[in-house]
Each structure stands twice: as structure tokens, then as C-alpha cells.
Amino acid sequence: MNFIPGVNLVFCLSALWSSTMVGEQLSKPSFQGSPRIKEMNFSDIVNVIMKINRPLVKVNALRGIIIGDYQVHPNTICSAGHRSCLWPSSQDNNIYIPYAFQSNYKRAQRALIIAALSEFESLTCIRFKYRSREVTYLAFIDGVGCWSYVGPGTKTAQEISLQIPYCMDVGIIQHQLMHALGFYHESSRSDRDEHVEVKMENIEKGSEINFKIKKSNNLVTKYDYNSVLHFGRYTFSKSPGLPTIVPKLDPNVYLGQLMGLSETDILKINKLYECKTCGNLLTENYRYFTSPNFPNFYPDHANCKWMIRAPWHHKIVLEFDFFHIQPFLGCYRDNLKIYDGSTTRSPVLKGPVCGKMAPAVISTHHLLLIAFSSGHHKHSKGFSAKYRFGSF
């Protein structure tokens, strides 16, 4: 997508910057991607998953599904960050995880799964590769319900069940991938009771095990009410309107969400797998971010990505207060690219750009990816950027 340069674009961006800003009918859902979930009367991904998995938990309990949507590998200890629960690191410090489709997913459904995988790749050192002959790999199946194993296991295909069409949602897929990477539910971490109160009297009979605290490595991160792994306020409630989990410091804090990974989810992955990454996930309105070392010169061989995610039905306005990337013919060495989506497979809005002419863009939907890279030659100060959300 290209923008016409000149006064009209500048006026449009200035005006936008200054302006202010389902029922439980799961029997016959249709595949429409992530927006389908938000139309349902749920406040969080976990609640959606548990509703979908209700028949699985009751009928197929012998499969070993526990805590609603995950299984534990035999003889695998996934507590306190045990190394047996992690996928191995490679010599380049990236984590390469093979995957395969073992069910007849349609092209659009495969594309949705790959898009969910790609967001991990954009912001962490996790890299997904299509399986060749690897013995241990992720096997996406059209099983019963939405579930995964915790951690990679040993010498086996690790199934991730994404039932068609119920589990075809980016948030649900990323929730299960977090389990596959070795994470339990955020609302079962060891310091849970310092932050929320569990209302045992409001939990439906037989579901109490879902609120059991796990011995966990919290990776020196704050308790994340917004995690894609956090229970919602009414998850496993015995009656509509009765909360099962309530924040202690502020009862009005929102629990869970529908969009996908949170900023702290990304931080935890990078800490657990010791990723050396540059960039971040940005989900709050009216934020700034800069190139590394700004306002000093940016470093050699920088490879940074920032993914901005607005609420559904919003667009993103991105501008730069300062912009100076060392120019070179065709911006071959140091450059910035802006993608109209969450991955480098998305359409390019601007780039590669360099020099002092700052780009300015408006996304066509609620996701934007900014990628910055540098070589090993003379450098400049980089950039300072700001963005806002708008429904227009």
C-alpha cells in the first residue's frame, strides 16, 4: 500500500493523531478467524477454550487432559523452569521447532495457524520449521477440543489439537503454543494468591482442580492479568454472574483477553529461552518507542522488530518525531520496513527507507510490524516513533 506524499497525508495524520479516540452457541460455529471469537459472549480465551472442551473433559477424561486443556508428558518435569520442559537451543541461539499438519486443514486454516506461529518468530528467538525427518515435533491435529502437551516431551510427535472450526482462532492457537513451549496457566503460578482471590464457593463441582497452584519459575516477571494464559473472571463458574477469580488490589482489573499474546507473555518466552531479541509487542494506546541506544548511535548488526496491536476494528497511526538512518544506495545496509500486519510476510506499507525523510503510515487494520536492521558500517542516531489507535 502506497501513500500519496504531500500536504494531504500530513493533514490527515495530524488530524487523526489529535482526535480522541456470544452467547454460548458452540454447536455450529463457522470459521471466520479471530474476529469470530469476539462476537461470542466471552471475555477471555481461556473461557472460550473451556466451553469448547467441556465434552472432552467429561467424556474423554482417560486421555489425560487435565486443567481443562493440556496434557503432561510421562516422566517430564515441567515445574520451576526445569530444562526437560524446554525445546533445545541451536548454535545460533535460536530455538527451532519442527511442525507438521496431520489433519486435513483447509488452506485458510493452515494460513491462520502459520500466522499465529509467525508472531512468535517476530518477537522471540522461537523459529518454526516444517518437519522433515525430526522425531520430536509439533503435530497439529483436528482432534476433539483445543489442547496441547506442556513442553516438548522426548522422541515423539507432540500433538496440538485444534478442532475445526471451534479452535480456529489466533488467541486459542497461541494459548496452546504457550503450553507447548513449557508454560502452565498464569492463574496457577506460585504467587497467584498475592494478586487474586479464588472464590471456591462459586466454582462448578468437579472443576476445583483447575485452580490448583503450581510450583513455577516466574522468571522475575510481574503477575500478568492480561496473559493469553490467564483465566477470566467467570471461568468454571457454577452460575452466570458468579466470579471464580477476583483481583485483590483492584477488583475492576480486566482478566484475560481475546487478542492473543500479551507483552509479558513475550517477555517470559524471551527470558525462559534466553533469547537475545530487540523490539517488543506494543498493545497500549499512545506509546513511544525508539531504535536501540537512541539518542546515541545505534549498534552494528541490529535486527529489531516491534509489533503494534490495536483492538479489533481499529487502525494504527504511526509517525516519527526523529528519523535518521544512515543512507546507502537503495537503503541496502541500514533500513526500516513497515508491514501492514504482524509478520514480514504481510504487505509492505513503507520501505526499505533510510536517510532523514521520516515515513508516516496508517494501517489498514489492527496490526502493524516495524522492522529495523543495520550492518557494520557507519551509523546514525536512528529514530523515535509514536503511534495511536483510531476507529475510522
Side-chain angles (χ1 to χ4, degrees), residues 161-211:
S161 174
L162 299 175
Q163 184 179 3
I164 301 171
Y166 307 98
C167 310
M168 289 292 103
D169 174 83
V170 167
I172 290 177
I173 297 166
Q174 291 180 342
H175 178 106
Q176 302 308 331
L177 286 168
M178 287 288 285
H179 285 319
L181 289 174
F183 291 94
Y184 291 106
H185 292 132
E186 182 74 0
S187 40
S188 65
R189 58 186 266 174
S190 58
D191 62 346
R192 189 267 312 277
D193 289 345
E194 299 175 20
H195 303 277
V196 298
E197 177 186 1
V198 175
K199 301 284 189 180
M200 297 300 294
E201 67 276 12
N202 293 341
I203 299 172
E204 62 181 351
K205 186 177 180 181
S207 297
E208 295 85 358
I209 189 176
N210 294 286
F211 295 85

Side-chain angles (χ1 to χ4, degrees), residues 154-313:
T154 305
K155 295 182 180 180
T156 182
Q158 175 176 316
E159 292 179 334
I160 292 186
S161 174
L162 299 175
Q163 184 179 3
I164 301 171
Y166 307 98
C167 310
M168 289 292 103
D169 174 83
V170 167
I172 290 177
I173 297 166
Q174 291 180 342
H175 178 106
Q176 302 308 331
L177 286 168
M178 287 288 285
H179 285 319
L181 289 174
F183 291 94
Y184 291 106
H185 292 132
E186 182 74 0
S187 40
S188 65
R189 58 186 266 174
S190 58
D191 62 346
R192 189 267 312 277
D193 289 345
E194 299 175 20
H195 303 277
V196 298
E197 177 186 1
V198 175
K199 301 284 189 180
M200 297 300 294
E201 67 276 12
N202 293 341
I203 299 172
E204 62 181 351
K205 186 177 180 181
S207 297
E208 295 85 358
I209 189 176
N210 294 286
F211 295 85
K212 184 178 180 180
I213 287 179
K214 306 288 291 187
K215 182 181 179 182
S216 61
N217 177 3
N218 299 326
L219 300 164
V220 197
T221 61
K222 66 179 181 179
Y223 187 85
D224 187 12
Y225 299 104
N226 198 42
S227 172
V228 74
L229 291 170
H230 201 291
F231 283 15
R233 191 176 298 266
Y234 302 101
T235 303
F236 292 112
S237 176
K238 66 182 182 182
S239 179
L242 290 178
T244 55
I245 189 165
V246 177
K248 284 187 173 180
L249 296 180
D250 182 358
N252 297 315
V253 168
Y254 200 90
L255 297 180
Q257 38 95 3
L258 293 167
M259 301 292 290
L261 297 167
S262 72
E263 295 181 21
T264 304
D265 287 334
I266 294 296
L267 176 62
K268 288 187 294 187
I269 294 170
N270 285 328
K271 283 195 169 189
L272 183 63
Y273 283 93
E274 300 177 353
C275 299
K276 295 177 175 62
T277 58
C278 172
N280 202 358
L281 170 66
L282 303 168
T283 60
E284 297 180 6
N285 203 356
Y286 296 103
R287 292 273 294 274
Y288 287 79
F289 62 97
T290 69
S291 54
N293 293 346
F294 184 85
N296 299 314
F297 291 147
Y298 51 80
D300 290 345
H301 304 295
N303 183 14
C304 309
K305 294 183 179 71
W306 296 265
M307 191 183 96
I308 305 173
R309 188 180 68 210
W312 280 302
H313 301 311

Side-chain angles (χ1 to χ4, degrees), residues 80-148:
H82 196 281
R83 303 308 297 181
S84 68
C85 197
L86 303 184
W87 294 82
S89 177
S90 63
Q91 291 184 350
D92 64 1
N93 296 318
N94 287 324
I95 314 298
Y96 292 94
I97 302 178
Y99 73 93
F101 296 106
Q102 294 193 342
S103 293
N104 190 27
Y105 291 104
K106 295 180 180 179
R107 179 180 296 180
Q109 294 162 345
R110 291 191 179 205
L112 185 69
I113 294 171
I114 292 172
L117 299 176
S118 297
E119 290 190 7
F120 287 87
E121 295 182 327
S122 293
L123 300 167
T124 74
C125 62
I126 306 298
R127 301 289 182 266
F128 295 96
K129 53 175 289 188
Y130 202 77
R131 183 205 178 209
S132 54
R133 296 182 179 180
E134 293 86 357
V135 177
T136 303
Y137 63 97
L138 296 180
F140 292 101
I141 65 169
D142 177 19
V144 180
C146 323
W147 51 265
S148 173

